[in-house]
Amino acid sequence: MTDQPEPNRRIVVWVASSRKDIRDMPPEVRREFGQAIDDAELGGKHPHAKPLKGIEAVEVVTDFDGDTFRAVYTVKLEGYLYVLDAFQKKSTTGRKTAVVDIDRIKRRLAAAKENHRMRTATQGTG
Protein backbone atom coordinates (compact mmCIF):
# COMPACT_ATOMS: atom_id res chain seq x y z
CA MET A 1 0.00 0.00 0.00
CA THR A 2 1.32 3.42 -0.89
CA ASP A 3 0.84 6.83 0.63
CA GLN A 4 -0.64 8.10 -2.61
CA PRO A 5 -4.13 9.57 -2.41
CA GLU A 6 -6.89 8.55 -4.76
CA PRO A 7 -7.42 11.18 -7.44
CA ASN A 8 -8.82 14.33 -5.82
CA ARG A 9 -8.78 12.74 -2.33
CA ARG A 10 -6.47 13.73 0.50
CA ILE A 11 -4.87 11.15 2.79
CA VAL A 12 -6.24 11.47 6.33
CA VAL A 13 -3.70 11.43 9.17
CA TRP A 14 -4.93 11.37 12.77
CA VAL A 15 -2.69 13.35 15.13
CA ALA A 16 -2.25 12.24 18.74
CA SER A 17 -5.56 11.14 20.29
CA SER A 18 -7.85 12.84 17.74
CA ARG A 19 -9.28 9.60 16.32
CA LYS A 20 -10.00 8.13 19.77
CA ASP A 21 -11.45 11.43 20.94
CA ILE A 22 -13.96 11.47 18.07
CA ARG A 23 -14.82 7.81 18.63
CA ASP A 24 -15.63 8.59 22.28
CA MET A 25 -18.20 11.25 21.30
CA PRO A 26 -21.95 10.70 20.91
CA PRO A 27 -22.91 9.00 17.61
CA GLU A 28 -24.63 12.14 16.26
CA VAL A 29 -21.44 14.17 16.80
CA ARG A 30 -19.25 11.43 15.29
CA ARG A 31 -21.42 11.39 12.17
CA GLU A 32 -21.21 15.15 11.74
CA PHE A 33 -17.44 15.25 12.24
CA GLY A 34 -17.04 12.24 9.95
CA GLN A 35 -19.00 14.01 7.23
CA ALA A 36 -16.91 17.17 7.69
CA ILE A 37 -13.68 15.18 7.37
CA ASP A 38 -15.02 13.34 4.32
CA ASP A 39 -16.04 16.63 2.70
CA ALA A 40 -12.55 18.05 3.32
CA GLU A 41 -10.89 14.86 1.99
CA LEU A 42 -12.62 15.50 -1.31
CA GLY A 43 -11.75 19.21 -1.36
CA GLY A 44 -15.13 20.43 -0.14
CA LYS A 45 -16.23 22.29 2.96
CA HIS A 46 -18.80 21.22 5.54
CA PRO A 47 -21.46 23.85 6.37
CA HIS A 48 -20.21 24.06 9.99
CA ALA A 49 -16.52 24.34 9.03
CA LYS A 50 -14.80 27.69 9.48
CA PRO A 51 -11.21 28.90 9.63
CA LEU A 52 -9.68 28.88 13.09
CA LYS A 53 -8.37 32.41 13.59
CA GLY A 54 -4.60 32.75 13.77
CA ILE A 55 -3.97 29.09 12.91
CA GLU A 56 -3.73 27.33 9.55
CA ALA A 57 -6.62 25.06 10.47
CA VAL A 58 -10.36 24.60 10.15
CA GLU A 59 -12.72 24.14 13.06
CA VAL A 60 -16.03 22.30 12.94
CA VAL A 61 -18.38 23.14 15.80
CA THR A 62 -21.53 21.23 16.61
CA ASP A 63 -23.94 21.25 19.52
CA PHE A 64 -25.56 18.13 20.92
CA ASP A 65 -27.66 17.60 24.02
CA GLY A 66 -26.70 21.00 25.47
CA ASP A 67 -22.95 20.49 24.92
CA THR A 68 -20.62 21.93 22.29
CA PHE A 69 -18.10 19.75 20.47
CA ARG A 70 -15.23 20.83 18.25
CA ALA A 71 -12.99 19.10 15.73
CA VAL A 72 -9.97 20.78 14.18
CA TYR A 73 -8.09 19.77 11.05
CA THR A 74 -5.76 21.25 8.47
CA VAL A 75 -5.67 20.80 4.71
CA LYS A 76 -2.73 23.17 4.25
CA LEU A 77 -0.23 20.31 3.81
CA GLU A 78 -0.39 19.17 0.20
CA GLY A 79 -2.21 15.91 -0.43
CA TYR A 80 -3.04 15.35 3.24
CA LEU A 81 -5.70 16.18 5.77
CA TYR A 82 -4.38 16.14 9.34
CA VAL A 83 -7.04 15.81 12.05
CA LEU A 84 -5.43 17.77 14.86
CA ASP A 85 -7.90 17.66 17.74
CA ALA A 86 -11.44 16.86 18.82
CA PHE A 87 -12.91 17.83 22.16
CA GLN A 88 -15.97 18.82 24.11
CA LYS A 89 -15.87 22.52 24.88
CA LYS A 90 -15.70 23.11 28.61
CA SER A 91 -14.45 26.67 28.64
CA THR A 92 -16.21 29.31 30.66
CA THR A 93 -14.98 32.01 28.28
CA GLY A 94 -18.17 32.04 26.22
CA ARG A 95 -17.90 30.96 22.59
CA LYS A 96 -14.16 31.45 22.40
CA THR A 97 -11.88 28.42 22.27
CA ALA A 98 -9.86 28.17 25.49
CA VAL A 99 -6.17 29.13 25.39
CA VAL A 100 -5.17 25.65 26.60
CA ASP A 101 -7.04 24.13 23.62
CA ILE A 102 -5.46 26.59 21.17
CA ASP A 103 -1.98 25.81 22.53
CA ARG A 104 -2.59 22.06 22.14
CA ILE A 105 -3.81 22.59 18.57
CA LYS A 106 -0.72 24.65 17.74
CA ARG A 107 1.58 21.92 19.12
CA ARG A 108 -0.25 19.28 17.11
CA LEU A 109 -0.10 21.42 13.97
CA ALA A 110 3.68 21.72 14.41
CA ALA A 111 3.86 17.91 14.77
CA ALA A 112 1.72 17.50 11.65
CA LYS A 113 4.03 19.79 9.67
CA GLU A 114 7.05 17.75 10.76
CA ASN A 115 5.25 14.50 9.91
CA HIS A 116 4.34 15.89 6.50
CA ARG A 117 7.93 17.00 5.88
CA MET A 118 9.17 13.48 6.67
CA ARG A 119 6.45 11.78 4.59
CA THR A 120 7.09 13.90 1.51
CA ALA A 121 10.88 13.62 1.86
CA THR A 122 10.71 9.81 1.86
CA GLN A 123 8.31 9.62 -1.10
CA GLY A 124 10.97 10.94 -3.42
CA THR A 125 13.47 8.25 -2.37
CA GLY A 126 11.28 5.21 -3.27
Side-chain angles (χ1 to χ4, degrees):
M1 179 176 238
T2 67
D3 244 6
Q4 297 300 313
E6 297 173 29
N8 301 318
R9 183 177 280 276
R10 294 177 172 98
I11 296 170
V12 176
V13 179
W14 301 88
V15 178
S17 63
S18 60
R19 187 177 210 158
K20 179 194 177 304
D21 296 338
I22 288 178
R23 285 183 173 163
D24 289 345
M25 292 179 177
E28 295 83 356
V29 175
R30 285 196 315 261
R31 275 192 292 278
E32 180 142 7
F33 288 165
Q35 184 62 55
I37 291 166
D38 193 56
D39 290 348
E41 270 185 88
L42 295 170
K45 184 180 173 214
H46 189 270
H48 295 154
K50 62 179 182 166
L52 190 57
K53 291 182 182 175
I55 301 175
E56 294 176 290
V58 174
E59 179 179 49
V60 180
V61 180
T62 191
D63 293 319
F64 174 74
D65 201 25
D67 294 315
T68 300
F69 297 86
R70 296 176 186 234
V72 180
Y73 62 85
T74 187
V75 293
K76 295 293 185 177
L77 303 170
E78 187 178 346
Y80 291 82
L81 181 153
Y82 284 85
V83 182
L84 303 172
D85 205 357
F87 56 96
Q88 181 178 343
K89 185 178 178 305
K90 296 181 181 178
S91 173
T92 59
T93 59
R95 297 179 64 141
K96 211 170 177 185
T97 304
V99 172
V100 66
D101 295 326
I102 294 293
D103 289 345
R104 184 178 58 251
I105 292 164
K106 286 179 179 179
R107 285 191 309 273
R108 289 181 178 188
L109 178 58
K113 287 179 178 180
E114 178 59 20
N115 178 281
H116 187 261
R117 186 189 65 75
M118 290 175 21
R119 281 175 183 266
T120 55
T122 60
Q123 285 178 359
T125 63

